[in-house]
Amino acid sequence: MKLIRDSLYMTQRHLMALWRQPFWIVFMLVQPVIWLALYGQLFRRVVELPGFHTTSYVSFLMPGVVVTNALFAGGWQGMGIIADLERGIIDRFLLTPVSRPAIIAGRILSLCVGGGVQSLILIGLGFVMGARYGSPWIGLPLLVAASMLMMAAFGALSNAMALMVRKEESVIGASNMLLLPMTFLSPIYMAKALMPEWMQKAAMANPVTWAVESGREALEAAPDWGRVIVRLMTLGAFTVLSLWVATRAFRAYQRSV
Amino acid sequence: MESQAVAAIRAEGLKKTYPGGVKALDGLSFAVAPGTVYALLGPNGAGKSTAVKVLTTLTQADAGEAVVAGLDVRRRGAEVRRMIGCVAQKSGVDANATGRENLRLQGRFYGMRGVELERRIDELLARFRLAEFADKISRTFSGGMQRKLDIAMGLIHRPAVLFLDEPTTGLDPEARSSLWNEISWLAGESGITILLTTHYLEEADKLAGRVGIVDRGRLVAEGTPEGLKSELQGDAVQVEFGEPQKEAAVRAALERVAGIGEIVVESQAVHARAQHGASAAPAILSALDQAGLRAMAVRIARPSLDDVYLHYTGRSFQEADAQLPMAGGKR
Ligand SMILES: Nc1ncnc2c1ncn2[C@@H]1O[C@H](COP(=O)(O)OP(=O)(O)OP(=O)(O)O)[C@@H](O)[C@H]1O
Ligand SMILES: [Mg+2]
C-alpha cells in the first residue's frame, strides 16, 4: 500500500539524518542518564517508606526514566517539522503524489525507532546500576512498547502544535511549560500512595502515569494483568486520538498554504 | 488563440483572497500552448506564486477555473500532480541528505524503483552537472547547485508540464546564465511545457516564447516579447547621413513611407518613430535613395520589456518592486 511504502521511505529519510549525527543520539541521552544516576542516588532511601513495592529505588526509577525520556523525545519532535516547513520541504512533498498521512507517519515511526533504541540503552544502564525485576522477559518488552506509545502520542501532539504555530520559539515555550510538570504529576519519582490527594487525582489523568504504571506492573513477579491491560489500552486510545489531532492539523496546514 | 483548445495550461478568471483580505489573484486568465515556454512577469506581491500554487494543486482558488495537461486542477488534483513537476520559489532541497538521496526519495513518491530509478537519477545528475557532488550532503551545495537539484527533482518523473517559480532569483550572474542554458535546453529538446515566473525582464525575454505581465493579481498585457515591444508606439529609427542635408527634402522623402511619425531632422541625421522598425528600415532607405539622399547608417532601438511594463501598469518596474518590499517575505 502506498501509505505504508511512503511512510517507510519517510522513516528512512529521518533515520538517515539521525544516523549522520550520532553525536546527537548521545546528547539526547545525557539528561535521562543524569536523572537515573543522580535521582537514583538522591532518593535511594525513600523506598524504605511504605508504598514502594521494592527495596531498590533504581528498580523503581528506571521505568520512570524510560517513560520520561519518551515524553521528552516526543514532545520536542515538532521542531523538526518546523525546520522542514521553513526549508520548503513539506511543500515540495505536497506537490508530489506522496501519501499525505505518510508525511506525519514517517516522522512518528522514525521517532519510535530512534526513541526505542534510547529506551533499550536506558534499560541497560538501569541494570548496570542494579535494577532487578520479577519478570523482566515479559515486563521489559511491554515497557518499551509503552514508551513507544508515549513517543507516538506526544510526537503527534508536538507535530500538531508545530503545524499550527509554525514558530520554533512557541514550540520551545509550550514544551518547557507542559512537559516538566507532567513528570512531577505522575509516580515517576515517588510512589503514588505517598502523593497529596489532589496530585494523585491529577496523576490518574496523566498519560505518563498510565505508561509508567503499566510498565512497572508488568515487571512484577506476578503482574496484575488487568491493571496492565487497562493502562496500555488507555494509552493506546490516547495515542490514536493524538494521531488524529495531528492529521487534522496537517489538513489545516494544507488549507493555509 | 489557436492554442485554447489544446492548451497545456489554461487559467480562467482565477481569484484568491488570503485571510486578512489580501487579494492575491483578481481574475487571472492565460493559456500556454504545449511545448512552449511562458513567463509570468511581475513585481513582488503580484500574485505569481499564488498562481503557481493554484495551478499545481498546492492551494485552491476561490473562483475561476484551471486546467493543466487537460485535467481540471480542482477536481482531478491527484492526476494533475502525476503530470507536473514544480520548482517552488523556495528551494525544497533536504539539506541533510545527499543529492542522490534527494532525487531517490522524490522518484519513489512517483512509484519509481530499482534500476529504472537509479538510471534516471544518474541521467539527471549528469544533465545538470551534479554527478561529481551526487553523494555529498546537499548542505554543502552552492545556491546554483541547489537550484539545479531542485529542477532535477522536478523532472525525475518526466513531467509533461514544468512550473518554475523564480528559478534564478538570488543567484549570482554566472549561476543564472548557466541555469538559463539548462532551461533553454529543456524547452528546446524535451518538448516539455514550461511556466516560469520571474522578476527579471531579461529572463522573460531570453527564455519565454510568450510573456504575461501580472500586476495586482491580473494579467495586464500578454504576447511574445517582440510583440509586446512592438505594441508600444513603435521603434526609434535613426538615420545618419555622410553630409548635411536639406531638412525639407529629408522630411518629404520620409513622409511618403507608411507608418512613420515624429520625424525630427538634424543637419546630418534624422530621428523618427516607426510602427515596426525592422520592416520600416528598408522602406526608409529606399525612399531616401529615390530622393538622392545617401544614408551612412541606420539604427533601430527596440523598446525594452521595461518600457512595456511601464506602459501597461503606469509604473516603472523598479518602482513597482520597491512599493511592496515586504510582500515576498510573508508566507
Ligand atoms: N499564505 C499566504 N497567506 C497570506 N497572504 C499571502 C500568502 N501567500 C501570499 N500572500 C500574499 O498574497 C500576495 C501575492 O503573493 P504572491 O506570493 O503570489 O506574489 P508573487 O508575485 O509571487 O511575489 P514575489 O515576487 O515576492 O514572489 C502578497 O501580497 C502576499 O503577501
Ligand atoms: Mg513569488
Side-chain angles (χ1 to χ4, degrees):
Chain A
M1 247 173 62
K2 190 155 172 60
L3 167 61
I4 295 172
R5 237 179 344 203
D6 287 350
S7 299
L8 292 179
Y9 293 141
M10 290 291 193
T11 307
Q12 192 185 11
R13 168 186 172 231
H14 295 298
L15 288 179
M16 203 63 202
L18 199 64
W19 186 248
R20 292 211 166 99
Q21 325 172 353
F23 183 74
W24 208 71
I25 303 178
V26 176
F27 184 74
M28 285 290 293
L29 276 171
V30 168
Q31 213 176 9
V33 167
I34 289 176
W35 297 327
L36 206 53
L38 233 56
Y39 290 148
Q41 289 296 305
L42 181 64
F43 296 129
R44 198 152 40 98
R45 294 190 55 199
V46 300
V47 285
E48 290 167 17
L49 294 166
F52 291 89
H53 297 270
T54 171
T55 53
S56 144
Y57 185 66
V58 172
S59 303
F60 176 84
L61 182 62
M62 188 275 277
V65 169
V66 168
V67 170
T68 307
N69 180 60
L71 172 74
F72 279 78
W76 290 104
Q77 217 217 3
M79 302 294 281
I81 205 167
I82 291 183
D84 276 2
L85 283 169
E86 277 169 3
R87 290 205 214 104
I89 294 174
I90 301 291
D91 285 353
R92 167 162 67 83
F93 289 163
L94 286 174
L95 286 163
T96 73
V98 73
S99 156
R100 279 27 191 169
I103 297 175
I104 298 292
R107 311 190 93 84
I108 307 283
L109 281 174
S110 66
L111 174 68
C112 288
V113 174
V117 171
Q118 291 183 343
S119 294
L120 292 176
I121 295 175
L122 289 173
I123 288 171
L125 279 169
F127 270 80
V128 169
M129 291 178 193
R132 293 294 179 273
Y133 301 95
S135 59
W137 299 115
I138 313 171
L140 291 175
L142 280 175
L143 174 63
V144 173
S147 78
M148 285 180 170
L149 283 175
M150 283 292 287
M151 291 176 222
F154 284 89
L157 292 178
S158 180
N159 277 310
M161 188 177 60
L163 283 165
M164 286 185 290
V165 298
R166 285 178 232 167
K167 273 211 196 81
E168 289 195 352
E169 301 81 49
S170 312
V171 175
I172 293 173
S175 302
N176 270 333
M177 221 171 66
L178 292 173
L179 299 181
L180 204 59
M182 283 187 67
T183 64
F184 287 108
L185 290 177
S186 77
I188 288 198
Y189 305 110
M190 189 58 71
K192 205 161 71 185
L194 297 176
M195 293 180 172
E197 179 91 14
W198 72 270
M199 268 198 177
Q200 287 194 30
K201 290 216 172 86
M204 291 288 276
N206 185 350
V208 177
T209 306
W210 311 335
V212 77
E213 284 190 348
S214 64
R216 274 184 194 143
E217 186 65 49
L219 285 162
E220 295 278 338
D224 173 351
W225 286 110
R227 261 171 71 93
V228 176
I229 288 168
V230 167
R231 277 161 185 68
L232 278 181
M233 298 268 278
T234 317
L235 188 58
F238 175 68
T239 305
V240 170
L241 182 74
S242 304
L243 289 169
W244 177 78
V245 170
T247 57
R248 297 296 305 210
F250 193 68
R251 281 207 205 112
Y253 168 74
Q254 278 183 267
R255 277 193 299 274
S256 76
V257 174
Chain B
M1 304 248 325
E2 83 285 7
S3 62
Q4 282 282 351
V6 291
I9 302 172
R10 188 162 55 81
E12 249 170 55
L14 292 179
K15 292 193 182 185
K16 179 156 183 94
T17 305
Y18 280 111
V22 182
K23 247 191 204 171
L25 296 179
D26 190 16
L28 182 71
S29 305
F30 66 96
V32 183
T36 65
V37 181
Y38 189 104
L40 283 179
L41 181 65
N44 278 137
K48 304 180 297 292
S49 293
T50 306
V52 169
K53 284 180 193 167
V54 168
L55 292 168
T56 55
T57 78
L58 203 53
T59 191
Q60 297 221 327
D62 302 332
E65 202 181 307
V67 177
V68 172
L71 302 162
D72 184 300
V73 163
R74 191 187 301 267
R75 276 182 289 267
R76 301 174 72 181
E79 289 163 85
V80 170
R81 283 191 284 274
R82 298 201 151 271
M83 301 294 294
I84 62 170
C86 183
V87 176
Q89 182 165 352
K90 208 181 333 175
S91 166
V93 168
D94 179 358
N96 295 319
T98 67
R100 194 184 294 279
E101 284 166 358
N102 267 288
L103 287 162
R104 191 178 291 138
L105 185 64
Q106 184 83 358
R108 282 176 170 165
F109 293 156
Y110 292 93
M112 299 168 76
R113 305 253 172 293
V115 187
E116 179 217 357
L117 176 58
E118 297 307 317
R119 203 175 288 149
R120 179 66 177 154
I121 290 171
D122 285 334
E123 193 180 311
L124 286 167
L125 285 169
R127 173 72 231 129
F128 288 95
R129 295 191 189 83
L130 291 169
E132 199 185 325
F133 313 96
D135 297 309
K136 294 219 159 58
I137 300 291
S138 31
R139 185 189 300 288
T140 61
F141 285 18
S142 71
M145 281 158 66
Q146 291 206 1
R147 219 54 189 139
K148 285 181 185 174
L149 182 56
D150 270 323
I151 298 181
M153 281 196 279
L155 289 169
I156 190 108
H157 58 300
R158 299 190 170 83
V161 181
L162 182 66
F163 293 84
L164 300 173
D165 195 358
E166 299 196 22
T168 68
T169 300
L171 299 185
D172 57 72
E174 204 179 315
R176 177 174 304 154
S177 80
S178 147
L179 210 54
W180 280 353
N181 289 337
E182 305 292 355
I183 297 171
S184 302
W185 175 86
L186 267 177
E189 302 281 307
S190 60
I192 197 170
T193 306
I194 299 179
L195 177 76
L196 150 101
T197 80
T198 180
H199 274 220
Y200 303 113
L201 300 151
E202 194 191 352
E203 185 163 290
D205 205 355
K206 194 169 163 75
L207 296 177
R210 282 181 85 77
V211 178
I213 296 178
V214 193
D215 192 42
R216 296 176 179 143
R218 56 168 70 213
L219 211 65
V220 291
E222 194 201 45
T224 62
E226 293 310 299
L228 279 175
K229 291 181 215 160
S230 66
E231 267 175 44
L232 284 190
Q233 300 84 337
D235 299 340
V237 180
Q238 185 185 343
V239 182
E240 279 169 36
F241 304 110
E243 54 212 46
Q245 304 290 352
K246 288 207 185 72
E247 180 177 344
V250 173
R251 190 173 289 280
L254 285 187
E255 273 167 357
R256 284 203 297 274
V257 182
I260 293 285
E262 295 175 46
I263 300 163
V264 180
V265 185
E266 292 169 5
S267 75
Q268 294 205 20
V270 57
H271 303 271
R273 286 203 87 82
Q275 287 288 320
H276 197 278
S279 58
I284 290 171
L285 286 179
S286 81
L288 289 173
D289 207 43
Q290 276 170 24
L293 303 162
R294 278 179 51 100
M296 288 276 291
V298 183
R299 269 223 315 271
I300 303 161
R302 314 293 327 265
S304 66
L305 276 176
D306 231 330
D307 300 325
V308 178
Y309 189 83
L310 175 66
H311 180 73
Y312 284 105
T313 65
R315 292 169 292 159
S316 90
F317 202 77
Q318 283 75 12
E319 246 175 64
D321 241 9
Q323 275 177 6
L324 293 159
M326 303 311 296
K330 274 192 242 145
R331 274 287 95 81

